Short mmCIF file of all heavy atoms in Angstrom, two decimals:
data_model
loop_
_atom_site.label_atom_id
_atom_site.label_comp_id
_atom_site.label_asym_id
_atom_site.label_seq_id
_atom_site.Cartn_x
_atom_site.Cartn_y
_atom_site.Cartn_z
N SER A 23 98.78 96.45 66.23
CA SER A 23 98.27 95.11 66.49
C SER A 23 96.91 95.19 67.16
O SER A 23 96.49 96.25 67.63
CB SER A 23 99.25 94.32 67.36
OG SER A 23 99.42 94.93 68.63
N ARG A 24 96.23 94.04 67.21
CA ARG A 24 94.91 93.94 67.83
C ARG A 24 94.91 92.90 68.93
O ARG A 24 95.57 91.87 68.84
CB ARG A 24 93.86 93.52 66.80
CG ARG A 24 93.49 94.52 65.75
CD ARG A 24 92.41 93.91 64.84
NE ARG A 24 91.93 94.85 63.85
CZ ARG A 24 90.91 95.68 64.04
NH1 ARG A 24 90.27 95.69 65.21
NH2 ARG A 24 90.53 96.50 63.07
N ASP A 25 94.12 93.16 69.98
CA ASP A 25 93.73 92.15 70.96
C ASP A 25 92.21 92.20 71.01
O ASP A 25 91.62 92.98 71.75
CB ASP A 25 94.34 92.42 72.32
CG ASP A 25 94.08 91.31 73.32
OD1 ASP A 25 93.12 90.53 73.12
OD2 ASP A 25 94.83 91.20 74.30
N ASN A 26 91.58 91.36 70.20
CA ASN A 26 90.13 91.42 70.07
C ASN A 26 89.41 91.05 71.36
O ASN A 26 88.31 91.56 71.63
CB ASN A 26 89.67 90.51 68.93
CG ASN A 26 90.09 91.03 67.57
OD1 ASN A 26 90.25 92.24 67.38
ND2 ASN A 26 90.26 90.13 66.62
N ALA A 27 89.99 90.18 72.17
CA ALA A 27 89.38 89.80 73.43
C ALA A 27 89.26 90.99 74.38
O ALA A 27 88.36 91.03 75.22
CB ALA A 27 90.17 88.68 74.10
N LYS A 28 90.17 91.95 74.26
CA LYS A 28 90.16 93.15 75.09
C LYS A 28 89.55 94.34 74.37
O LYS A 28 89.52 95.44 74.93
CB LYS A 28 91.56 93.48 75.56
CG LYS A 28 92.19 92.43 76.45
CD LYS A 28 93.59 92.85 76.89
CE LYS A 28 94.19 91.82 77.82
NZ LYS A 28 95.56 92.20 78.25
N ASN A 29 89.10 94.14 73.14
CA ASN A 29 88.55 95.21 72.32
C ASN A 29 89.52 96.39 72.26
O ASN A 29 89.14 97.56 72.43
CB ASN A 29 87.18 95.68 72.85
CG ASN A 29 86.37 96.42 71.81
OD1 ASN A 29 86.43 96.13 70.62
ND2 ASN A 29 85.58 97.40 72.26
N THR A 30 90.78 96.08 71.99
CA THR A 30 91.85 97.06 72.05
C THR A 30 92.76 96.93 70.83
O THR A 30 93.06 95.83 70.38
CB THR A 30 92.68 96.89 73.32
OG1 THR A 30 91.83 97.03 74.46
CG2 THR A 30 93.78 97.93 73.40
N VAL A 31 93.19 98.07 70.32
CA VAL A 31 94.21 98.14 69.27
C VAL A 31 95.41 98.88 69.84
O VAL A 31 95.25 99.90 70.52
CB VAL A 31 93.67 98.83 68.01
CG1 VAL A 31 94.79 99.04 66.99
CG2 VAL A 31 92.56 97.99 67.38
N TYR A 32 96.60 98.38 69.56
CA TYR A 32 97.82 98.94 70.11
C TYR A 32 98.69 99.55 69.03
O TYR A 32 98.67 99.14 67.87
CB TYR A 32 98.64 97.84 70.81
CG TYR A 32 97.92 97.15 71.92
CD1 TYR A 32 97.35 95.89 71.73
CD2 TYR A 32 97.79 97.74 73.17
CE1 TYR A 32 96.69 95.24 72.75
CE2 TYR A 32 97.13 97.10 74.20
CZ TYR A 32 96.58 95.85 73.99
OH TYR A 32 95.92 95.21 75.01
N LEU A 33 99.47 100.54 69.44
CA LEU A 33 100.55 101.06 68.62
C LEU A 33 101.83 100.95 69.44
O LEU A 33 102.01 101.68 70.41
CB LEU A 33 100.30 102.52 68.22
CG LEU A 33 101.41 103.15 67.36
CD1 LEU A 33 101.50 102.46 66.00
CD2 LEU A 33 101.16 104.65 67.18
N GLN A 34 102.68 100.00 69.07
CA GLN A 34 103.97 99.83 69.72
C GLN A 34 104.99 100.71 69.03
O GLN A 34 105.21 100.58 67.83
CB GLN A 34 104.41 98.37 69.67
CG GLN A 34 105.76 98.09 70.31
CD GLN A 34 105.75 98.30 71.80
OE1 GLN A 34 104.85 97.83 72.49
NE2 GLN A 34 106.75 99.01 72.32
N MET A 35 105.62 101.59 69.78
CA MET A 35 106.58 102.54 69.24
C MET A 35 107.94 102.29 69.87
O MET A 35 108.11 102.43 71.08
CB MET A 35 106.13 103.98 69.51
CG MET A 35 104.73 104.29 68.98
SD MET A 35 104.28 106.03 69.18
CE MET A 35 104.25 106.13 70.97
N ASN A 36 108.90 101.91 69.04
CA ASN A 36 110.26 101.64 69.49
C ASN A 36 111.23 102.62 68.84
O ASN A 36 110.92 103.26 67.84
CB ASN A 36 110.67 100.21 69.13
CG ASN A 36 109.81 99.16 69.78
OD1 ASN A 36 109.36 99.32 70.92
ND2 ASN A 36 109.59 98.06 69.07
N SER A 37 112.42 102.72 69.41
CA SER A 37 113.47 103.60 68.88
C SER A 37 112.94 105.00 68.62
O SER A 37 113.15 105.58 67.55
CB SER A 37 114.07 102.99 67.61
OG SER A 37 114.61 101.71 67.85
N LEU A 38 112.26 105.55 69.60
CA LEU A 38 111.61 106.84 69.42
C LEU A 38 112.61 107.96 69.21
O LEU A 38 113.70 107.97 69.79
CB LEU A 38 110.72 107.14 70.62
CG LEU A 38 109.40 106.37 70.63
CD1 LEU A 38 108.79 106.37 72.02
CD2 LEU A 38 108.43 106.98 69.62
N LYS A 39 112.21 108.90 68.37
CA LYS A 39 113.02 110.06 68.03
C LYS A 39 112.29 111.33 68.43
O LYS A 39 111.07 111.33 68.59
CB LYS A 39 113.31 110.08 66.53
CG LYS A 39 113.98 108.83 65.99
CD LYS A 39 114.10 108.88 64.48
CE LYS A 39 114.74 107.62 63.94
NZ LYS A 39 114.85 107.66 62.46
N ALA A 40 113.03 112.42 68.56
CA ALA A 40 112.43 113.68 68.94
C ALA A 40 111.33 114.09 67.97
O ALA A 40 110.31 114.66 68.38
CB ALA A 40 113.49 114.77 69.03
N GLU A 41 111.50 113.79 66.69
CA GLU A 41 110.51 114.16 65.69
C GLU A 41 109.23 113.33 65.77
O GLU A 41 108.27 113.62 65.06
CB GLU A 41 111.10 114.07 64.28
CG GLU A 41 111.76 112.74 63.97
CD GLU A 41 113.26 112.76 64.17
OE1 GLU A 41 113.72 113.36 65.16
OE2 GLU A 41 113.98 112.19 63.33
N ASP A 42 109.20 112.30 66.63
CA ASP A 42 107.98 111.55 66.87
C ASP A 42 107.06 112.25 67.87
O ASP A 42 105.93 111.80 68.08
CB ASP A 42 108.30 110.15 67.38
CG ASP A 42 109.02 109.29 66.36
OD1 ASP A 42 108.65 109.34 65.17
OD2 ASP A 42 109.96 108.57 66.75
N THR A 43 107.52 113.32 68.49
CA THR A 43 106.71 114.06 69.44
C THR A 43 105.45 114.58 68.75
O THR A 43 105.52 115.28 67.75
CB THR A 43 107.50 115.23 70.03
OG1 THR A 43 108.60 114.73 70.79
CG2 THR A 43 106.63 116.09 70.92
N ALA A 44 104.29 114.22 69.29
CA ALA A 44 103.02 114.58 68.67
C ALA A 44 101.88 114.12 69.57
O ALA A 44 102.08 113.34 70.50
CB ALA A 44 102.88 113.93 67.30
N ILE A 45 100.69 114.61 69.28
CA ILE A 45 99.48 114.02 69.81
C ILE A 45 99.08 112.88 68.89
O ILE A 45 98.96 113.08 67.68
CB ILE A 45 98.34 115.05 69.93
CG1 ILE A 45 98.74 116.19 70.86
CG2 ILE A 45 97.08 114.38 70.43
CD1 ILE A 45 97.72 117.31 70.92
N TYR A 46 98.89 111.70 69.46
CA TYR A 46 98.55 110.52 68.69
C TYR A 46 97.07 110.20 68.85
O TYR A 46 96.54 110.17 69.96
CB TYR A 46 99.40 109.32 69.13
CG TYR A 46 100.81 109.39 68.61
CD1 TYR A 46 101.73 110.27 69.16
CD2 TYR A 46 101.22 108.58 67.55
CE1 TYR A 46 103.02 110.35 68.67
CE2 TYR A 46 102.50 108.66 67.06
CZ TYR A 46 103.40 109.54 67.62
OH TYR A 46 104.68 109.62 67.13
N TYR A 47 96.41 109.96 67.73
CA TYR A 47 94.98 109.68 67.68
C TYR A 47 94.73 108.31 67.08
O TYR A 47 95.42 107.89 66.16
CB TYR A 47 94.25 110.69 66.80
CG TYR A 47 94.41 112.13 67.21
CD1 TYR A 47 95.47 112.90 66.75
CD2 TYR A 47 93.48 112.74 68.04
CE1 TYR A 47 95.62 114.22 67.11
CE2 TYR A 47 93.61 114.06 68.40
CZ TYR A 47 94.67 114.80 67.93
OH TYR A 47 94.81 116.11 68.29
N CYS A 48 93.71 107.62 67.59
CA CYS A 48 93.21 106.46 66.88
C CYS A 48 91.85 106.81 66.28
O CYS A 48 91.15 107.71 66.74
CB CYS A 48 93.11 105.22 67.77
SG CYS A 48 91.92 105.29 69.12
N ALA A 49 91.48 106.08 65.23
CA ALA A 49 90.25 106.36 64.51
C ALA A 49 89.67 105.06 63.96
O ALA A 49 90.41 104.16 63.57
CB ALA A 49 90.49 107.35 63.37
N ARG A 50 88.34 104.98 63.93
CA ARG A 50 87.65 103.83 63.37
C ARG A 50 87.25 104.11 61.95
O ARG A 50 86.68 105.15 61.64
CB ARG A 50 86.40 103.50 64.19
CG ARG A 50 85.86 102.10 63.95
CD ARG A 50 84.37 102.02 64.18
NE ARG A 50 83.63 102.48 63.02
CZ ARG A 50 82.31 102.49 62.91
NH1 ARG A 50 81.57 102.08 63.94
NH2 ARG A 50 81.72 102.91 61.81
N GLY A 51 87.53 103.16 61.07
CA GLY A 51 87.20 103.32 59.68
C GLY A 51 85.72 103.15 59.38
O GLY A 51 84.94 102.67 60.20
N TYR A 52 85.32 103.57 58.20
CA TYR A 52 83.96 103.33 57.72
C TYR A 52 83.68 101.85 57.51
O TYR A 52 82.56 101.40 57.72
CB TYR A 52 83.73 104.07 56.40
CG TYR A 52 83.54 105.55 56.52
CD1 TYR A 52 84.63 106.42 56.41
CD2 TYR A 52 82.28 106.09 56.73
CE1 TYR A 52 84.45 107.78 56.51
CE2 TYR A 52 82.10 107.46 56.83
CZ TYR A 52 83.19 108.29 56.72
OH TYR A 52 83.02 109.66 56.82
N ARG A 53 84.71 101.13 57.08
CA ARG A 53 84.56 99.73 56.73
C ARG A 53 85.72 98.92 57.28
O ARG A 53 86.51 99.41 58.08
CB ARG A 53 84.44 99.59 55.21
CG ARG A 53 83.26 100.38 54.62
CD ARG A 53 83.21 100.32 53.11
NE ARG A 53 82.83 98.99 52.63
CZ ARG A 53 82.61 98.70 51.37
NH1 ARG A 53 82.70 99.63 50.43
NH2 ARG A 53 82.28 97.46 51.02
#
C-alpha cells in the first residue's frame, strides 16, 4: 500500500511462516 502524504510505501505481512525469513528490499521502478 501507499501513503503518499508520508512519501511511504508499506508491505504488510500477516500469517508469517519460517520460509518468509529473508532480507526484504524495496525498489523504485523506471516508470
Side-chain angles (χ1 to χ4, degrees):
S23 62
R24 290 181 176 271
D25 187 338
N26 291 332
K28 296 181 178 179
N29 200 33
T30 301
V31 173
Y32 301 101
L33 180 65
Q34 179 67 47
M35 305 185 294
N36 299 324
S37 301
L38 283 162
K39 304 175 181 179
E41 52 263 41
D42 295 318
T43 296
I45 299 174
Y46 284 74
Y47 302 87
C48 66
R50 197 209 82 178
Y52 284 93
R53 302 176 70 174

